[in-house]
Amino acid sequence: MKLLLSGIISCLISINLYAQTNISGKILDEKGRSLKGATVLFLKKADSILVKSTLSNEQGAFTIEVPSSQSYIISIVALGFGKKMILVEPNGKAIVMGDIKLLPQATDLGEVTVVSKKPFLEQRADKLVVNVENSATAAGSTALEILQKVPGVIVMNDKITMPGKSSVGILIDGKASQYTDINQVLASMGANNIEKIEVMANPGARYDAQGGALINIILKKNANLGTNGTISVAGSQGLYEMGKDGVDRKYQRFTPAFSINNRKGKWNIFGNGNLFQRNFFDYNEFDRLIKPYRFFQTNYSPSNRQSINYRAGVDFYANSKNTFGFLFRGFNFEGTTETVNNTAQSNSSNGAELSKFKTLINGKTNRNNAAANFNWKHVFDTADHFLNLDIDYSRFQLQTNSDIINQLSNGSSYANTQFVDNPVQFLVFKADYVKPFKMSNSLEAGAKSSFATINNYLTFKNNGLVDPKRSTDFEYRENINAAYVNLKQSLNEKWELITGLRTEQTIATGSSQSNEVLNRNYWQLFPSVFLTRKINKDISTVVQYVRRVNRPSYQQQNPFIEYLDSLTYTRGNPLLRPEIANQYKIGLTFQNQPFFSISYNKTVDVIFENAPKQDGNLTFTTPENLAAFENIVFELNFPLNIGKKISGFGGNQFIWNRYKADYLGGVYDQKKWNWQAYWQVAYKPRPDWNFEISGFYTTAFLNEFITIQELSNLNFAIQKTILEKKGRITLNFNDILFSQKTRGKLLYQDIDVAFRQWSESRNLRLSFTYSFGNQKLQASRNRSTGSDAEANRVKTN
């Protein structure tokens, strides 16, 4: 891997530099005096991406060299003065701009020029971009609410899904945040902090091949020095009737949070943290037919959770070429669950009751994570030409202790205890190199090696005595080596092509009770192609193809048995293979906004998370590589804008799912169409008030062996900005109709199970956020860490 990385870097940095233009000028105040330390930013005219920056000297002068191949917007800012923006068109010759005067901020507000206004949605070759900044559609929303407006994204019970995708990963500024209760972060993150959101239904070769779709939330970044931060607090009250829907208590949440950033000279220090305290419930009903008996179960599980999430780091800007950073992050989590499971056994033919029994499960969970990252970024001739190196170490400690008490109808009872200890460690080395060329062309290349060590220990006690048949230990080792190359080309004014190739080697071993149960070593290739063609100035076509892999989680490969109640348990499978997906999409855009598209996804060796099996009166599930999965999605989107005060977005998807599996001596071959609609409409009568209604509806659909009945959700929100727009109060009424309840049916051979499930989804939330300090402060660097993809596979919930 070292030779491969060295070869890639040596070849790429030997490429000749392209033509440069020297630009100079002098910055003065309104009285003609020199301004020292003014920030001068050179932004690409096409997309406002920063190319280079500099500061004015003691005489107010600056000089800088930039590539001659494109146009620039020069943004000039000095403390206490208004921003100045100037358009420059290089022609290969030196440009002397002369004196540039800045006016005091109080009188300069009218001179800031708005160059252009981006549409809410932009379809690019490899991603859908949602431009949140300055968008009336996004005004007053949170990040989670904005995602509900994105075509093809559905939020159910705070879980983000996309049709045909095995999983959806969330990035913030390119960095995964799975361990800080990411959904709570999104639910409290206001749109005023977000610049844009990138939705990659088919991520390219630059990203790890593991997983399904990716959503990257990019926060705003500015260029002044100083200190800034935010504080917020949110509370929630569940809206339920006591004694109905399984509810026996009140459900609430409390989530204070803070963030702070200080930049002075060459140092940038930042940190954030939040407390997440919540109680909630899950209610389930299972109706099992195991002839000649019927078992009807109700399962009520009230839970309490408390977690502290933290992140701190420092960036050192050694010089204009080199930046070094250190990042430390983690969480501490505690949770308790009190499950009451009532089971009634009856005769399936006449309904006569035969027996009743109860299972009580008191569970306690402790989980913590600590991760450290060292990062070095070297910039060559422009900000877009760089080498980035990462070293990452992360450790998780997951422990669960469950007391299981079975009470029979005759008054007798017996007790079991189950303890799980699951330490996980990662070490990752990662390098990325980016080289831009003329005409917006660029070449990206990189390499990565990750090493994972996972130990799983389960101790099962029956009436205080260790049961060796149900107790086990499982040790798993994994090494993944990867390299990629990605090329972006503008073929002419109408065609843009992005091609990539990623190769990954997986070495995995596993042992249970000191016996080897897994030993694998294999290579895989993951190509990607994205092609865009402009038909005319308004209409373009987009074609995409990627190959992806979804590796089993570490816990899925753990062979131990975990009892959920007296009749149900789960068991891991160390022989699971990764599932491979080939994903295709062709779309039509109007003014760079998505209008119509057709997607086709085919996955082989599909991992059924809960493949059902019958063991006498016991039903258990285990993950299995069972099937081929095919998915077709027709998507049609449209705006919902009425006048200047009402704006929004709506869309439809027609989805076809098919599963074909050889299982339990038979063939499971099922297919089904379903329709999905989503909408969001905002009414803004005044700049400081916003009213919003949003929701979705989906007809019955197929999910593995289960047919899920229709689902829907309706939400309403009111938001008011206060304290000179630094404060924001939001009131949300979620799942107004309490319709987000899951009902399903599993019917295959002798397995006949119907179920209903709901949770604490209907609630009223009140939140307050206040931003302090210099809100134009440049944010801490946006850098992903090396272990993001591996950490996705640690199930901490």
Side-chain angles (χ1 to χ4, degrees):
M1 293 304 295
K2 292 181 180 178
L3 289 175
L4 175 62
L5 177 59
S6 300
I8 291 173
I9 295 172
S10 298
C11 291
L12 292 176
I13 63 177
S14 65
I15 299 174
N16 292 329
L17 299 178
Y18 43 82
Q20 304 279 304
T21 293
N22 185 284
I23 301 177
S24 61
K26 188 173 184 180
I27 303 172
L28 309 174
D29 65 11
E30 77 282 6
K31 295 182 180 180
R33 295 173 297 192
S34 300
L35 279 179
K36 175 187 175 183
T39 302
V40 185
L41 303 179
F42 283 75
L43 311 172
K44 289 183 182 179
K45 179 185 176 183
D47 51 20
S48 298
I49 293 177
L50 177 64
V51 176
K52 266 191 175 183
S53 64
T54 188
L55 297 174
S56 59
N57 60 21
E58 291 185 357
Q59 288 75 41
F62 71 89
T63 182
I64 195 168
E65 282 191 346
V66 295
S68 305
S69 57
Q70 53 200 350
S71 301
Y72 299 95
I73 296 173
I74 304 178
S75 175
I76 304 173
V77 182
L79 187 63
F81 292 84
K83 182 189 298 184
K84 191 85 170 182
M85 302 184 75
I86 304 171
L87 177 64
V88 173
E89 303 275 358
N91 56 11
K93 300 179 181 179
I95 298 176
V96 179
M97 302 182 64
D99 295 342
I100 303 170
K101 285 190 176 182
L102 300 185
L103 300 179
Q105 194 165 20
T107 60
D108 189 42
L109 295 178
E111 296 193 12
V112 178
T113 303
V114 179
V115 178
S116 63
K117 183 178 179 180
K118 296 181 179 179
F120 181 62
L121 298 172
E122 285 185 282
Q123 182 66 63
R124 298 185 184 176
D126 57 343
K127 69 190 74 171
L128 173 68
V129 179
V130 185
N131 292 304
V132 178
E133 189 174 23
N134 299 323
S135 170
T137 304
S141 300
T142 65
L144 199 62
E145 292 165 345
I146 293 169
L147 289 176
Q148 292 176 331
K149 308 176 181 71
V150 176
V153 177
I154 289 293
V155 181
M156 296 188 299
N157 292 331
D158 284 346
K159 182 179 180 181
I160 300 168
T161 63
M162 293 179 65
K165 307 303 177 184
S166 57
S167 61
V168 178
I170 302 296
L171 310 177
I172 297 179
D173 284 332
K175 189 182 283 74
S177 303
Q178 295 84 359
Y179 321 111
T180 55
D181 196 338
I182 184 63
N183 291 328
Q184 178 60 27
V185 172
L186 298 179
S188 59
M189 180 186 294
N192 63 320
N193 293 323
I194 300 173
E195 178 184 344
K196 59 185 177 182
I197 297 174
E198 298 175 338
V199 182
M200 291 166 278
N202 302 314
R206 182 179 182 180
Y207 300 94
D208 286 289
Q210 159 68 26
L214 286 177
I215 296 176
N216 185 24
I217 298 174
I218 299 176
L219 304 181
K220 293 180 181 178
K221 298 170 285 293
N222 296 292
N224 285 353
L225 304 181
T227 301
N228 74 351
T230 61
I231 55 174
S232 65
V233 61
S236 173
Q237 174 66 59
L239 302 177
Y240 305 101
E241 182 180 342
M242 292 292 183
K244 188 178 180 181
D245 299 318
V247 177
D248 66 344
R249 67 195 71 181
K250 294 182 178 180
Y251 290 95
Q252 300 153 333
R253 72 175 68 181
F254 177 64
T255 54
F258 78 94
S259 67
I260 191 167
N261 197 92
N262 176 268
R263 184 169 182 182
K264 185 176 182 180
K266 295 184 177 182
W267 293 91
N268 189 69
I269 301 173
F270 57 91
N272 59 56
N274 73 276
L275 169 67
F276 181 72
Q277 194 163 15
R278 176 190 180 189
N279 66 336
F280 62 98
F281 75 89
D282 286 298
Y283 180 82
N284 300 272
E285 291 181 355
F286 297 96
D287 190 357
R288 294 181 174 92
L289 180 62
I290 307 173
K291 293 184 178 180
Y293 306 113
R294 180 179 295 276
F295 296 87
F296 182 75
Q297 292 175 266
T298 61
N299 186 300
Y300 176 57
S301 299
S303 302
N304 291 279
R305 287 185 181 179
Q306 179 175 299
S307 65
I308 298 175
N309 309 282
Y310 53 87
R311 176 178 177 269
V314 59
D315 290 327
F316 175 61
Y317 298 85
N319 51 45
S320 60
K321 301 288 187 181
N322 297 284
T323 303
F324 300 91
F326 178 78
L327 177 68
F328 182 73
R329 61 178 179 173
F331 69 82
N332 289 288
F333 172 95
E334 292 184 358
T336 59
T337 302
E338 305 169 9
T339 300
V340 179
N341 185 287
N342 290 289
T343 302
Q345 181 184 6
S346 62
N347 188 301
S348 61
S349 59
N350 57 25
E353 185 175 290
L354 301 177
S355 67
K356 283 185 177 182
F357 52 93
K358 179 182 292 187
T359 303
L360 306 176
I361 304 177
N362 294 319
K364 185 176 182 180
T365 301
N366 290 282
R367 296 167 182 168
N368 61 75
N369 164 243
N373 167 264
F374 174 76
N375 177 274
W376 170 48
K377 183 176 182 179
H378 176 74
V379 176
F380 295 92
D381 50 310
T382 70
D384 290 338
H385 184 194
F386 64 88
L387 171 69
N388 197 86
L389 299 179
D390 266 291
I391 301 175
D392 201 26
Y393 174 77
S394 185
R395 178 178 175 83
F396 295 83
Q397 186 68 48
L398 317 176
Q399 293 183 337
T400 303
N401 193 6
S402 301
D403 295 322
I404 307 169
I405 302 173
N406 296 283
Q407 299 177 347
L408 306 181
S409 56
N410 60 10
S412 62
S413 65
Y414 58 95
N416 299 320
T417 302
Q418 183 171 269
F419 176 73
V420 178
D421 185 18
N422 182 203
V424 179
Q425 296 184 74
F426 300 121
L427 180 63
V428 180
F429 302 92
K430 183 172 178 281
D432 297 285
Y433 175 81
V434 178
K435 168 68 177 176
F437 299 102
K438 294 182 179 180
M439 301 295 293
S440 299
N441 296 340
S442 65
L443 183 66
E444 301 175 355
K448 177 180 177 180
S449 288
S450 67
F451 304 87
T453 302
I454 300 96
N455 296 313
N456 304 266
Y457 307 104
L458 182 143
T459 303
F460 191 92
K461 293 183 178 180
N462 192 346
N463 287 322
L465 299 177
V466 175
D467 186 341
K469 294 183 179 180
R470 298 184 181 181
S471 300
T472 186
D473 65 85
F474 177 63
E475 297 182 353
Y476 181 81
R477 305 289 183 269
E478 183 182 84
N479 167 219
I480 297 177
N481 301 306
Y484 77 90
V485 61
N486 215 46
L487 180 63
K488 179 180 178 181
Q489 296 175 287
S490 295
L491 304 179
N492 52 45
E493 293 182 356
K494 293 185 177 182
W495 292 90
E496 180 182 89
L497 176 66
I498 301 175
T499 55
L501 180 65
R502 187 180 187 90
T503 180
E504 293 190 350
Q505 179 194 26
T506 302
I507 304 171
T509 60
S511 62
S512 180
Q513 309 286 32
S514 300
N515 297 316
E516 184 178 86
V517 295
L518 176 65
N519 191 342
R520 291 182 180 149
N521 186 340
Y522 56 91
W523 286 87
Q524 293 173 299
L525 290 175
F526 301 96
S528 61
V529 179
F530 306 92
L531 181 64
T532 301
R533 185 185 187 279
K534 290 185 178 180
I535 298 175
N536 56 42
K537 66 183 184 69
D538 292 324
I539 301 175
S540 299
T541 58
V542 178
V543 178
Q544 302 178 353
Y545 164 73
V546 300
R547 188 172 189 259
R548 302 282 288 170
V549 63
N550 187 37
R551 297 186 181 91
S553 71
Y554 305 120
Q555 281 81 355
Q556 283 178 324
Q557 298 175 91
N558 194 331
F560 66 64
I561 294 173
E562 183 174 0
Y563 278 82
L564 304 179
D565 56 58
S566 60
L567 290 178
T568 313
Y569 66 88
T570 64
R571 185 174 66 194
N573 181 0
L575 301 180
L576 279 178
R577 301 181 303 277
E579 57 184 30
I580 302 296
N582 288 283
Q583 303 172 347
Y584 309 82
K585 182 176 182 178
I586 182 169
L588 191 66
T589 66
F590 180 75
Q591 296 180 349
N592 289 329
Q593 299 184 62
F595 174 64
F596 176 75
S597 68
I598 303 174
S599 302
Y600 174 71
N601 306 287
K602 184 171 184 179
T603 306
V604 296
D605 280 337
V606 175
I607 299 174
F608 275 40
E609 173 71 22
N610 296 299
K613 294 185 179 181
Q614 206 69 45
D615 182 11
N617 290 340
L618 298 178
T619 299
F620 71 95
T621 64
T622 183
E624 295 270 10
N625 293 103
L626 291 182
F629 169 63
E630 291 182 275
N631 165 264
I632 300 174
V633 180
F634 294 89
E635 186 173 331
L636 178 66
N637 302 298
F638 50 87
L640 294 172
N641 299 319
I642 304 174
K644 297 181 178 180
K645 297 184 177 181
I646 298 177
S647 62
F649 197 84
N652 295 268
Q653 288 185 329
F654 296 91
I655 305 165
W656 180 77
N657 291 331
R658 182 191 183 188
Y659 293 92
K660 186 175 182 180
D662 296 320
Y663 189 55
L664 299 179
V667 177
Y668 176 80
D669 190 353
Q670 294 291 325
K671 50 184 174 290
K672 187 174 182 61
W673 282 95
N674 74 288
W675 170 60
Q676 187 168 272
Y678 40 89
W679 61 89
Q680 177 276 330
V681 180
Y683 171 58
K684 198 165 187 177
R686 290 170 37 184
D688 56 342
W689 281 96
N690 192 78
F691 299 84
E692 181 176 294
I693 187 168
S694 62
F696 72 87
Y697 174 80
T698 181
T699 59
F701 60 94
L702 192 63
N703 182 22
E704 298 182 357
F705 285 101
I706 302 171
T707 299
I708 306 292
Q709 300 303 311
E710 67 272 5
L711 278 170
S712 63
N713 179 284
L714 183 65
N715 311 299
F716 178 71
I718 304 174
Q719 185 175 87
K720 176 74 166 65
T721 56
I722 59 174
L723 303 176
E724 298 179 343
K725 297 185 178 180
K726 292 185 177 182
R728 186 178 67 251
I729 299 175
T730 307
L731 180 67
N732 291 280
F733 190 0
N734 301 285
D735 197 8
I736 296 172
L737 304 178
F738 199 22
S739 55
Q740 198 163 312
K741 298 180 179 181
T742 304
R743 296 168 295 138
K745 179 77 172 179
L746 192 163
L747 183 61
Y748 180 66
Q749 295 187 355
D750 294 333
I751 303 170
D752 187 345
V753 181
F755 68 90
R756 297 196 304 158
Q757 184 274 335
W758 54 83
S759 60
E760 189 258 333
S761 61
R762 183 169 65 178
N763 51 61
L764 199 64
R765 298 181 189 176
L766 180 65
S767 62
F768 170 73
T769 301
Y770 179 75
S771 302
F772 62 89
N774 179 8
Q775 294 306 303
K776 295 182 179 179
L777 173 67
Q778 179 174 332
S780 55
R781 281 192 303 149
N782 304 325
R783 49 189 170 96
S784 60
T785 61
S787 65
D788 290 343
E790 287 72 25
N792 267 322
R793 295 164 62 201
V794 179
K795 306 301 182 182
T796 60
N797 292 318

